[in-house]
Amino acid sequence: MSYDCAALIGGDPIPSVKWMKGKWRQITPGGRISIEHKGQDAKLEIREVTKSDSGLYRCVATNKHGEIESSTTVSNLNPGQEYLFRVTAINDKGKSDPKALTGPVMTKDLLGQPAVMKCQIVGRPVPEIKWYHAGKEIVESRKYEMSSDGRNHSLSIMTDQQEDEGEYTCKAVNEAGEVETTGILVLEAAPSFHPDYPLKETYYAGLGTTLRIHVVYIGRPQPKIMWLHGAKTLENTEEISIETTEHYTHLVVKNAQRRVNGGKYRIRLHNHFGRADTAFNVEIYGM
């Protein structure tokens, strides 16, 4: 995760740059802090941030013709994350390639509610903004609404299925170049059985064959899953195998026997948003 403070600066000769914390304290490299200045690009990086790193940051660029300053206030820093501040310069034609100041980050929202991805990108001329989900360009519609003021860009998503989560990329393009920045949307929801993969009322297996039951579910965070046969909780054994991922749970019963494996089965799902429960029968046929 990164945050940027940017200013478009130009000048001949190339300006010198210094970084300040608050109004008066100059930042020097060392320890968790590194500073780079190459040509007209300057960067301040803070690693392993702590809450004490919150505050006002200022970048001051100076040459013999004058001085320009850019500043930002950073708050609510999460320990261990990295924050990036950058200053870029316009070229002699008055253009600058797009620069991502802040990108979309991991966003958590409830399934069925609007989710918003935000980023800040600047450039001269003002870049064209496009959004992508899992590599596919998004077209504005009732489901997707986009807004942009030349610096702040947002995408609102009316989430109606778990597949709406995943990577969202904001791409900016102008005459001078392009840039893209990507964030992750995670949709939290009470567990439920996926409507596109309904369970049968009864499953059949031949005597001595392998019974397989595949259950697709929805739910974030990943729910705890319990398989029951009658009143008995099923666990992995030599004859029984249960495989569970964040999208499905799969039961395999080897060498199915009528008295041992036939009867009523139940699946229970639960996370802190809610619960889901369903039942089905298994019939073993043959001599």
Side-chain angles (χ1 to χ4, degrees), residues 47-117:
R47 296 176 294 275
E48 299 176 4
V49 300
T50 65
K51 292 187 181 299
S52 64
D53 292 315
S54 299
L56 174 68
Y57 287 82
R58 300 164 54 229
C59 177
V60 182
T62 307
N63 69 10
K64 64 181 181 179
H65 300 296
E67 182 176 282
I68 190 170
E69 175 182 319
S70 178
S71 64
T72 189
T73 299
V74 179
S75 60
N76 300 320
L77 294 180
N78 294 321
Q81 293 182 333
E82 294 185 359
Y83 293 77
L84 183 65
F85 306 83
R86 181 179 286 113
V87 170
T88 57
I90 61 175
N91 60 28
D92 58 2
K93 295 182 180 179
K95 300 176 182 177
S96 67
D97 58 338
K99 297 289 184 182
L101 310 184
T102 64
V105 296
M106 178 172 284
T107 301
K108 291 185 178 180
D109 282 283
L110 286 175
L111 180 65
Q113 298 296 318
V116 180
M117 306 295 289

Side-chain angles (χ1 to χ4, degrees), residues 110-150:
L110 286 175
L111 180 65
Q113 298 296 318
V116 180
M117 306 295 289
K118 296 181 179 180
C119 67
Q120 289 186 338
I121 299 176
V122 295
R124 186 177 297 180
V126 175
E128 178 185 9
I129 301 295
K130 292 184 178 181
W131 287 89
Y132 298 82
H133 178 217
K136 183 178 180 181
E137 185 178 349
I138 294 172
V139 178
E140 194 157 14
S141 63
R142 291 182 179 180
K143 182 179 180 69
Y144 299 108
E145 292 184 3
M146 305 174 195
S147 67
S148 176
D149 64 5

